[in-house]
């Protein structure tokens, strides 16, 4: 990528500089080293022994912090981990500079294989939803259930409010946007993000807003921040153009795991109308619709998402028990 495509397309350090991201009470973040990359993995101590494992994957511009509220609520149900995809959160960029959906899916698979935690309850939001869909399609042995929160699956006619995010993939746009917004304060940047991602930004507490501002300031210190955003957005757009067996919708048809689909009626990035297609495509699916939520339901209404997730786990366990019971 040329320097005209990103204001910070320079050589990057091996580890992120400056301060690490916030760690909530009861959480810990560790570094996992894999071939070609290192991952920051956030976890919360489970409230019981021998709980089933779960893995949570964030969306474009997000991090493992996006799952803190849900991890807390599910501590009695799963042994949960949330990772920072390469280049996001506290994870440095990958050695090969691969920010494609396939590249991210490969990293998730490598992590699960190396940790030996599979099969897991796999959860993804937005970009992460597309990533885990691909994982579930190509490695069904690693997935117990699949939960998709506003998954970034291809839309023929995206909402107008989602177009600016897609434009990040166009060479030069990120550099232009960075120049146009260079005088924006972290507070303004944060308000813009919340207005786009939340159904009702007013639900964010003053403490939560202050934490979001601090996180935005931290990310802007990273010399590769804009470059990662541009390349990851390009990875999504590239995945949308693939046909045949590599099509995300074709791969969704192959998913065997029981699937929970979560859509917010106020989502400005992934249209709620896609819920109907997703429900028909994933062979064993159920739908949770949240009328007041936008793009990040696990942050906006973690209680509702947690309840639906527990129902999925309970029904899946009951089905497995019936299948294991001898007949006759």
């Amino acid at each position: 990528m040329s320097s005209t495509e990103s204001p910070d397309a320079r050589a990057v350090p091996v580890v992120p500089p400056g301060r690490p991201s916030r760690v909530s009470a009861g959480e810990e973040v560790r570094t996992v080293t894999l071939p070609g990359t290192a991952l920051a993995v956030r976890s919360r101590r489970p409230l019981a022994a021998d709980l089933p494992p779960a893995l949570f994957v964030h969306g474009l511009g997000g991090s493992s912090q996006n799952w803190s509220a849900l991890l807390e609520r599910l501590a009695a149900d799963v042994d949960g981990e949330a990772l920072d995809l390469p280049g996001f959160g506290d994870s440095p960029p990958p050695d090969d500079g691969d920010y494609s959906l396939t590249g991210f899916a490969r990293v998730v698979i490598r992590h699960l294989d190396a940790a030996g935690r599979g099969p897991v309850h796999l959860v993804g939001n937005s970009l992460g939803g597309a990533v885990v869909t691909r994982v579930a399609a190509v490695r069904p042995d690693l997935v117990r259930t699949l939960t998709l929160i506003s998954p970034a699956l291809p839309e023929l006619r995206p909402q107008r409010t989602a177009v600016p995010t897609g434009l990040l993939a166009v060479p030069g746009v990120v550099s232009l946007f960075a120049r146009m917004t260079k005088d924006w304060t972290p507070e303004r940047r944060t308000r813009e993000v919340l207005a786009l991602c939340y159904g009702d930004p007013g639900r964010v507490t003053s403490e939560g807003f202050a934490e979001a501002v601090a996180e935005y300031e931290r990310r802007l210190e990273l010399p590769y921040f804009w470059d990662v955003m541009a390349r990851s957005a390009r990875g999504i757009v590239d995945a949308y153009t693939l046909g045949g067996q590599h099509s995300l919708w074709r791969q969704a048809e192959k998913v065997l795991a029981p699937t929970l689909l979560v859509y917010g009626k106020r989502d400005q990035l992934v249209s709620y109308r896609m819920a109907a297609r997703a429900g028909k495509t994933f062979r064993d699916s159920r739908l949770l619709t949240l009328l007041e939520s936008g793009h990040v339901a696990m942050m906006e209404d973690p209680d509702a998402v947690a309840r639906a997730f527990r129902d999925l786990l309970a029904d899946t366990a009951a089905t497995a028990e019936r299948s294991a019971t001898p007949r006759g």
Side-chain angles (χ1 to χ4, degrees):
M1 178 178 292
S2 68
S3 59
T4 59
E5 293 180 21
S6 168
D8 294 304
R10 303 187 292 267
V12 298
V14 176
V15 295
R19 49 206 162 96
S21 61
R22 180 178 60 87
V23 180
S24 301
E27 291 182 345
E28 65 176 19
V29 177
R30 71 183 192 280
T31 299
V32 174
T33 302
L34 299 172
T37 192
L39 297 179
V41 179
R42 184 179 302 263
S43 61
R44 173 176 287 275
R45 185 182 298 278
L47 297 181
D50 300 323
L51 291 178
L55 182 67
F56 300 79
V57 184
H58 63 80
L60 180 66
S63 75
S64 59
Q65 289 188 69
N66 296 161
W67 301 105
S68 289
L70 194 59
L71 284 173
E72 180 180 5
R73 285 160 176 78
L74 295 176
D77 304 284
V78 295
D79 181 1
E81 292 185 344
L83 57 77
D84 289 331
L85 290 170
F88 292 95
D90 290 321
S91 294
D95 292 348
D96 59 6
D98 186 356
Y99 296 99
S100 67
L101 252 64
T102 297
F104 285 141
R106 189 178 298 120
V107 167
V108 172
I109 290 170
R110 284 175 180 167
H111 172 59
L112 289 174
D113 279 340
R117 300 182 79 232
V120 300
H121 297 289
L122 193 56
V123 185
N125 168 236
S126 191
L127 163 65
V131 170
V132 299
T133 295
R134 183 154 289 175
V135 172
V138 302
R139 288 292 304 274
D141 58 303
L142 292 177
V143 184
R144 298 189 185 198
T145 66
L146 185 66
T147 297
L148 304 176
I149 302 172
S150 296
L153 299 175
E155 299 183 45
L156 292 178
R157 298 188 305 276
Q159 300 179 97
R160 284 180 296 175
T161 48
V163 171
T165 302
L167 288 175
L168 291 175
V170 178
V173 168
V174 166
S175 178
L176 176 63
F177 179 76
R179 290 196 300 271
M180 290 176 59
T181 62
K182 63 182 177 63
D183 295 327
W184 286 16
T185 64
E187 287 78 10
R188 179 177 177 182
R189 293 181 187 275
T190 303
R191 289 192 187 93
E192 295 288 340
V193 171
L194 294 179
L196 183 63
C197 293
Y198 274 66
D200 178 10
R203 300 171 75 175
V204 180
T205 64
S206 57
E207 179 183 5
F209 180 76
E211 292 173 349
V213 170
E215 175 62 11
Y216 214 134
E217 287 182 304
R218 187 192 73 83
R219 294 184 186 186
L220 288 174
E221 294 174 358
L222 302 174
Y224 49 79
F225 172 78
W226 291 112
D227 188 44
V228 170
M229 288 291 290
R231 294 191 186 207
S232 299
R234 195 167 304 148
I236 297 175
V237 173
D238 288 345
Y240 281 15
T241 65
L242 294 177
Q245 297 300 314
H246 298 290
S247 161
L248 279 170
W249 285 113
R250 183 70 63 83
Q251 291 190 322
E253 293 174 350
K254 298 178 180 178
V255 172
L256 301 175
T259 301
L260 169 63
L261 303 167
V262 181
Y263 285 84
K265 286 281 284 186
R266 295 186 176 185
D267 196 331
Q268 299 181 67
L269 293 170
V270 171
S271 174
Y272 171 72
R273 67 174 181 265
M274 300 307 295
R277 180 174 183 181
K280 295 177 182 177
T281 303
F282 289 91
R283 64 181 70 188
D284 182 5
S285 68
R286 61 185 67 192
L287 173 66
L288 170 64
T289 300
L290 296 174
L291 300 181
E292 303 300 321
S293 290
H295 192 60
V296 286
M298 70 285 189
M299 301 172 71
E300 300 176 79
D301 198 346
D303 290 321
V305 175
R307 286 193 297 270
F309 183 79
R310 290 191 197 100
D311 289 344
L312 174 68
L313 266 60
D315 291 347
T316 302
T319 300
E321 184 176 351
R322 287 195 298 270
S323 299
T325 302
R327 299 180 180 180

